[in-house]
Amino acid sequence: MSKQENVAKNRYSDEDLAEFKVVIDKKLEEAKQQLEELKVQLTELNNSGDENRAGTFDDGASNWQREHLNKLAARQQRFVRDLEHALIRINNKTYGVCTITGKLISKERLALVPHATKTVEGKQQEKGDKPRKVIRRS
């Protein structure tokens, strides 16, 4: 087996990486747009004048909504960061390689979780879990 063939089995081809990049670029654009929308909602909520109604029944609801939007925004920021890191891995040609096992992450998994860095097997090893049997019910 030539060195070129060996490399091909340990990483995705440049063509595959280009396809993944298109998908991630689209998801990244959508995620950034959603993050901006959340920031606008937070700004509007913070500027709505709730401080003039302190102590009212609506005060608790506003606080809950503010906390909820903050959590959503933080989660979205992490998603954007993870997608940006995935683009870096594509440029480094390490995208799709499990950081635990060194095996390729399946295309199906990457389609569902484009920022994945571990195979399911790798995640189980990381947690110390034993592989689980899949029980199918008809």
Side-chain angles (χ1 to χ4, degrees):
M1 184 183 312
S2 73
K3 186 176 180 182
Q4 188 107 17
E5 288 173 323
N6 193 27
V7 168
K9 290 188 175 192
N10 293 328
R11 72 170 186 87
Y12 281 106
S13 69
D14 291 345
E15 293 81 18
D16 286 336
L17 292 175
E19 290 175 23
F20 288 129
K21 185 178 184 320
V22 169
V23 171
I24 291 172
D25 281 337
K26 182 179 179 196
K27 287 191 179 285
L28 183 58
E29 183 180 326
E30 292 169 358
K32 284 181 176 181
Q33 183 179 354
Q34 290 173 358
L35 179 59
E36 283 307 310
E37 291 170 6
L38 287 168
K39 287 179 179 181
V40 166
Q41 289 177 18
L42 271 168
T43 300
E44 288 174 357
L45 187 61
N46 287 332
N47 294 334
S48 68
D50 281 50
E51 59 277 352
N52 295 335
R53 296 187 321 228
T56 66
F57 179 74
D58 288 339
D59 194 37
S62 293
N63 284 336
W64 178 86
Q65 188 176 15
R66 196 173 283 112
E67 287 175 21
H68 181 68
L69 286 172
N70 274 320
K71 287 178 185 176
L72 289 175
R75 183 175 185 208
Q76 197 67 13
Q77 281 178 320
R78 283 191 304 274
F79 185 52
V80 166
R81 181 204 61 210
D82 290 346
L83 289 172
E84 288 171 341
H85 288 171
L87 289 175
I88 292 169
R89 290 192 305 279
I90 285 175
N91 289 333
N92 293 341
K93 300 186 185 214
T94 59
Y95 179 79
V97 178
C98 178
T99 58
I100 304 293
T101 65
K103 296 179 182 177
L104 286 182
I105 300 168
S106 72
K107 286 185 177 182
E108 293 80 15
R109 176 160 168 70
L110 291 172
L112 293 172
V113 187
H115 56 283
T117 59
K118 297 172 186 75
T119 59
V120 173
E121 177 186 347
K123 285 183 71 98
Q124 290 171 342
Q125 285 181 17
E126 183 180 52
K127 291 181 181 179
D129 291 346
K130 294 180 181 174
R132 296 183 184 139
K133 291 183 181 177
V134 176
I135 300 172
R136 296 185 184 193
R137 297 181 182 158
S138 357

